[in-house]
Amino acid sequence: MWASKRERLSNSSVAKMNASKSSPDSATTTNAPKCGSVFETFASSTTAHGVAHLVDAKSTIRKLIWLIVVLGVFSGFAYHLSTLVKRYISRPVNVAMTVETPPSLTFPAVTICNVNPIRKSAIENNEVYSDILMASATDVAQYDIVGGSCLDEDFTCTSLPDRLKDIVSQTCIKPYMQCNKNKDCDNFADEAHCYRLSGTPCSDQMFSCANGNCIPNDLLCDYVDNCGDGSDETLEQCPQFANSTCNSQEWRCANGQCIPSDYICDNYIDCGDMSDETQCTEGAVVNVTVGDKEPTPPGPTLNCSSDEFPCGDECMESVHRCDGISDCPRGTDEGNCNYTYRDPFEGQWYKPYESIIEDRSIFENFQTNVYKDRGFDFIPKLAEDPPIWSYFFISSRLADYSDLRDVMKLTKEQVKNFGHQIEDMVLDCSFAGEKCNLSSDFVSFQDEKFGNCYTFNSGNKGTPLSTTSRPGPENGLKLTLYLEQNEYTSLFGQAAGIRVEIHSQNDTAYPEDRGLGLSPGTYTHMGLRRFVRERKGHPYGKCDDRDFLPTIRDDELDSKTFYSLLSCQKNCLQTKLLHHCGCIIGTIRSNVSNPVPLCGVLNVTQTICSQLIHHLYQIGKLECDCEVPCHEESFKPIISQYVWPSNSYKDGLLSTSYGQNIRTWQLTGNDVRENLMRLAIYYEDLNYERVYEEPAYELPQLWADIGGALGLWIGVSCVTVIEFFEFLVNLCLFAKRRASPSHVTP
């Protein structure tokens, strides 16, 4: 039926063309067929559905209807085609997972760090860094200040009249030193009110003040108002005051107390009632009667250098002059000083950072709610490197001084020498039953927080990587570790244990971010499962196939940082800090001659800048081009622990440890669990999970779907496509003949 229909259409078209040739009007037209006849010829012969009806229809309405139908199906095909092309351009992927079971697996790299980075014995005789050990002293945060008031939030031991605050030394302590059951203020002011506030009655060894405070009995009648209301120093309580007499070299206070006559008006309170200073005007004594006294013998003659000043019977560096803290007897180093404190947010402080972000509200929020003033304003810049620790202990706002850990800046060589050594830390090591070689099986590096860290099976020394062909503890790594708690410092070693990170040989260790903390006195089993993730890069997705990151610091140990999402983010943050602040955050100085500078804790501009950059990074406003790696390998540990050693094994373990390391001789059965631990790391199974991506829509599938769409909408096959191409060629030939002058009759 279709064939006969095409024959009739073809014969009809030929007849019409013959009629046109014999028409009288043919003399004024070209010999080529008309455009309409070209389309009719195509429509009558094409295999595309519906097109033939455009010329076969007997009425105009039917032709219009078929035109709408043909245009509709062609539009549907065009839309369908666009969705197929869009899907192909998006390059989707399928995520597949397989469980691989190889005959053997490469054992991962294992990094161990003692959480205490600085050994006490390594710095106790060091004149620069031995003051770190002062952090364990109870009075390290007590200080005297002349002029103004104590640091923010600190407690003032003595309440002074306003007229004396700028000339008389005051004793200050940190807020956490109040109500700690220790006498930190000489007048017991930090503890006297605590009994009343806690509702605890005064004990038999304490005096009950009129205001409800409690003070020790030995503070009665000491010429100091320890109660706060004077009830401990009244004549009724202390009748001996009424009959007190002073010798010729002393001055009698209003409360009857005797003090050396040269203590009057020296800007230092010696009388419990402050009468030695309240009668003074510009250093002169008013209405003070002093008995006859012999001339004071002259003190030693001091020949201080230009950068020093006399301080009692010695010379002191000028850095201590007018620093707000009384260092010399009677506070002479703080007399006639003008203390100035600069507002860190003066003027348009945010201008240098508008190139990063223009939103002023972020700067306002940072200034008001995010920025942490470290309280280092009064510390002289010369006190930072090397640090004068007395200043920083006074300025610390935390009872454990943990906010001062970034003050000390050491070179890698110093960290290496000051930290725990592997021959002391690792008492016993074996892999698959064979004894380890500490010098060849471990590689050391210096971590910002933990100091010396050691990596087993890193592959960095050219030694073959350890592999295992069987699961279980007997086929993995076993370590006996010695913490050396007697070497811990109170500033850096506030927790005791070992930090462990298990990672690939192609991944940089970050024990602070990804490590696990293990306690002494335990036998820890870590059964591992290996996971491999493979991602498709461009054009299928976003992942980074780089092996290494460019270095910021030119150290030989920093030249090889493996790429990972975490390492890229850290690198980006440090790069932004270096660009905008001129420094990077860290505590380890480079060994090279022209190192990248570290941000100073006393440089207010760098402090604001570094905190702002870090804040922008946290809220996602710092542009970092960091993608997940294309190939990623990780290890998930399943942890179980036992108490170790057992009571029956203590003696045998000690005997063995004594022979392994002479430094363990100081251990006894009582502290062995505080210093020793056992660790076993092994594969729980040799199979591992591999998750990978594969293209979900490739070019052959696109062509197949396009063919299906053509068949669905307009019944088109490859032959039909050729027919359309032939039709376009005919149209071009028609247009060319039409435009040719030789075909036009003049």
Side-chain angles (χ1 to χ4, degrees):
M1 185 177 98
W2 283 102
S4 60
K5 184 176 181 181
R6 290 195 182 94
E7 287 180 9
R8 291 197 301 271
L9 289 172
S10 179
N11 294 335
S12 174
S13 300
V14 171
K16 290 180 181 179
M17 292 178 65
N18 291 334
S20 65
K21 289 180 180 180
S22 60
S23 175
D25 297 334
S26 61
T28 58
T29 61
T30 65
N31 293 327
K34 293 182 179 181
C35 181
S37 63
V38 175
F39 176 74
E40 289 176 358
T41 302
F42 166 73
S44 63
S45 60
T46 182
T47 57
H49 295 175
V51 178
H53 293 288
L54 295 176
V55 296
D56 188 37
K58 302 302 183 181
S59 66
T60 305
I61 295 178
R62 288 187 176 183
K63 289 185 177 183
L64 181 61
I65 292 174
W66 277 109
L67 178 62
I68 294 174
V69 171
V70 171
L71 291 177
V73 295
F74 269 88
S75 299
F77 167 71
Y79 175 76
H80 195 161
L81 178 64
S82 67
T83 59
L84 295 175
V85 173
K86 285 180 180 178
R87 184 185 178 193
Y88 176 74
I89 293 176
S90 67
R91 303 288 182 157
V93 296
N94 290 327
V95 178
M97 190 271 287
T98 61
V99 176
E100 308 283 347
T101 309
S104 63
L105 282 178
T106 300
F107 200 75
V110 178
T111 296
I112 57 174
C113 316
N114 197 315
V115 297
N116 176 66
I118 305 293
R119 290 178 297 132
K120 184 187 299 183
S121 62
I123 62 171
E124 60 186 358
N125 295 321
N126 187 301
E127 61 182 33
V128 176
Y129 300 108
S130 59
D131 285 347
I132 294 174
L133 304 178
M134 292 169 52
S136 60
T138 57
D139 60 346
V140 69
Q142 181 183 22
Y143 61 97
D144 293 332
I145 190 168
V146 180
S149 58
C150 299
L151 300 177
D152 290 345
E153 301 180 2
D154 287 0
F155 178 77
T156 305
C157 290
T158 307
S159 297
L160 297 175
D162 291 340
R163 65 180 180 276
L164 295 180
K165 286 183 178 180
D166 292 334
I167 60 174
V168 174
S169 176
Q170 303 177 74
T171 299
C172 308
I173 61 172
K174 310 307 289 184
Y176 52 79
M177 299 171 71
Q178 296 183 73
C179 301
N180 62 356
K181 295 189 176 182
N182 290 321
K183 178 187 172 185
D184 296 299
C185 292
D186 292 338
N187 60 357
F188 205 67
D190 57 316
E191 302 296 322
H193 63 292
C194 302
Y195 294 87
R196 172 171 50 86
L197 294 178
S198 65
T200 304
C202 301
S203 65
D204 294 339
Q205 291 77 31
M206 307 194 78
F207 172 76
S208 180
C209 305
N211 59 8
N213 292 347
C214 304
I215 64 171
N217 287 331
D218 58 4
L219 297 181
L220 285 172
C221 306
D222 62 352
Y223 299 107
V224 179
D225 182 9
N226 299 295
C227 284
D229 59 358
S231 58
D232 58 321
E233 305 298 320
T234 62
L235 289 176
E236 179 182 358
Q237 187 67 37
C238 311
Q240 66 270 28
F241 286 178
N243 301 320
S244 63
T245 58
C246 301
N247 62 38
S248 60
Q249 297 184 10
E250 294 179 329
W251 185 78
R252 190 175 188 275
C253 306
N255 62 2
Q257 179 183 0
C258 298
I259 63 172
S261 56
D262 54 358
Y263 283 10
I264 307 167
C265 300
D266 61 353
N267 296 341
Y268 198 90
I269 295 176
D270 299 287
C271 295
D273 58 3
M274 308 181 195
S275 57
D276 57 319
E277 301 297 328
T278 55
Q279 304 184 55
C280 307
T281 303
E282 296 183 359
V285 180
V286 179
N287 297 325
V288 177
T289 302
V290 182
D292 295 336
K293 66 175 184 176
E294 298 179 0
T296 303
T301 302
L302 297 176
N303 295 319
C304 299
S305 64
S306 58
D307 57 350
E308 296 177 330
F309 68 95
C311 180
D313 57 357
E314 62 180 352
C315 295
M316 181 169 285
E317 295 180 355
S318 298
V319 68
H320 297 285
R321 180 82 171 91
C322 295
D323 61 0
I325 299 177
S326 178
D327 299 291
C328 300
R330 328 303 299 165
T332 56
D333 56 315
E334 301 303 316
N336 300 319
C337 295
N338 181 22
Y339 302 101
T340 58
Y341 299 93
R342 183 175 70 87
D343 181 5
F345 295 103
E346 290 180 337
Q348 296 180 327
W349 63 272
Y350 51 83
K351 280 292 183 183
Y353 314 111
E354 287 185 334
S355 59
I356 308 176
I357 189 169
E358 297 180 356
D359 189 352
R360 294 280 183 86
S361 63
I362 292 180
F363 296 125
E364 293 173 358
N365 178 64
F366 169 77
Q367 179 177 344
T368 305
N369 303 317
V370 179
Y371 177 72
K372 296 180 180 179
D373 185 0
R374 305 192 64 173
F376 293 165
D377 289 344
F378 75 94
I379 302 180
K381 288 187 179 351
L382 295 176
E384 178 173 4
D385 191 18
I388 301 178
W389 286 99
S390 57
Y391 287 112
F392 291 101
F393 286 135
I394 290 171
S395 304
S396 174
R397 297 183 175 181
L398 300 178
D400 60 359
Y401 306 112
S402 57
D403 55 340
L404 302 181
R405 288 176 181 164
D406 61 340
V407 170
M408 184 171 64
K409 305 291 193 292
L410 299 175
T411 64
K412 290 204 170 189
E413 193 63 29
Q414 288 175 317
V415 175
K416 183 177 181 180
N417 294 332
F418 291 170
H420 292 266
Q421 307 301 306
I422 190 170
E423 59 269 18
D424 297 328
M425 187 165 69
V426 179
L427 297 183
D428 182 65
C429 173
S430 65
F431 180 78
E434 295 186 7
K435 188 175 181 62
C436 303
N437 186 321
L438 298 184
S439 60
S440 61
D441 292 339
F442 287 84
V443 173
S444 68
F445 68 93
Q446 284 65 51
D447 183 74
E448 294 280 352
K449 183 172 183 179
F450 301 119
N452 285 338
C453 293
Y454 303 94
T455 302
F456 171 81
N457 201 36
S458 69
N460 287 350
K461 287 188 175 181
T463 56
L465 295 177
S466 299
T467 60
T468 182
S469 57
R470 298 178 63 186
E474 301 306 318
N475 300 285
L477 177 67
K478 289 187 176 182
L479 297 168
T480 300
L481 303 175
Y482 177 34
L483 270 63
E484 296 183 284
Q485 280 212 53
N486 62 301
E487 291 281 15
Y488 277 37
T489 61
S490 61
L491 178 59
F492 296 104
Q494 296 173 1
I498 296 292
R499 195 76 171 176
V500 179
E501 181 184 357
I502 301 170
H503 55 96
S504 165
Q505 283 79 12
N506 296 324
D507 197 2
T508 300
Y510 293 102
E512 180 180 359
D513 301 283
R514 300 186 300 203
L516 300 171
L518 302 181
S519 302
T522 59
Y523 191 160
T524 302
H525 281 241
M526 303 179 73
L528 305 180
R529 296 296 301 270
R530 181 173 181 251
F531 294 87
V532 175
R533 180 68 188 264
E534 298 172 359
R535 302 177 177 89
K536 285 286 185 182
H538 181 78
Y540 297 98
K542 292 183 177 181
C543 68
D544 201 309
D545 59 356
R546 287 180 292 175
D547 293 327
F548 305 105
L549 279 170
T551 182
I552 297 177
R553 297 167 58 152
D554 294 329
D555 295 70
E556 66 280 3
L557 298 179
D558 282 328
S559 59
K560 192 176 182 180
T561 300
F562 289 102
Y563 183 89
S564 66
L565 182 60
L566 179 61
S567 63
C568 180
Q569 291 170 341
K570 287 179 173 289
N571 184 278
C572 172
L573 180 60
Q574 295 286 45
T575 301
K576 298 293 184 182
L577 283 167
L578 184 61
H579 176 72
H580 295 284
C581 308
C583 62
I584 62 175
I585 295 177
T587 58
I588 300 180
R589 286 192 289 229
S590 175
N591 295 327
V592 298
S593 57
N594 188 25
V596 175
L598 302 179
C599 296
V601 296
L602 298 183
N603 189 318
V604 178
T605 302
Q606 288 183 348
T607 300
I608 292 176
C609 180
S610 60
Q611 289 192 28
L612 175 62
I613 295 297
H614 197 269
H615 173 62
L616 294 176
Y617 173 77
Q618 288 183 320
I619 64 176
K621 298 297 183 181
L622 202 64
E623 294 184 1
C624 288
D625 186 18
C626 291
E627 303 292 347
V628 293
C630 294
H631 182 87
E632 193 172 17
E633 186 175 356
S634 60
F635 301 87
K636 181 180 179 181
I638 299 176
I639 300 175
S640 58
Q641 289 185 322
Y642 310 97
V643 174
W644 184 86
S646 65
N647 292 334
S648 60
Y649 180 55
K650 278 185 181 180
D651 293 339
L653 176 63
L654 281 175
S655 177
T656 302
S657 300
Y658 292 160
Q660 291 171 328
N661 190 333
I662 198 171
R663 294 174 67 90
T664 63
W665 281 20
Q666 59 188 310
L667 293 180
T668 64
N670 296 326
D671 55 7
V672 64
R673 286 181 182 163
E674 297 178 357
N675 285 276
L676 298 181
M677 62 177 295
R678 184 79 169 157
L679 176 62
I681 302 174
Y682 52 91
Y683 277 118
E684 190 176 59
D685 287 302
L686 285 188
N687 56 35
Y688 67 93
E689 186 177 294
R690 175 174 170 254
V691 179
Y692 60 95
E693 296 177 348
E694 54 186 12
Y697 198 68
E698 297 189 273
L699 190 59
Q701 185 63 46
L702 174 64
W703 287 120
D705 288 347
I706 291 176
L710 286 170
L712 172 67
W713 291 100
I714 51 179
V716 171
S717 65
C718 291
V719 174
T720 311
V721 173
I722 296 175
E723 292 174 352
F724 272 95
F725 178 75
E726 183 186 21
F727 169 63
L728 294 176
V729 171
N730 289 335
L731 281 180
C732 293
L733 293 175
F734 170 78
K736 183 177 180 181
R737 292 170 183 168
R738 185 81 174 178
S740 176
S742 61
H743 290 81
V744 179
T745 302

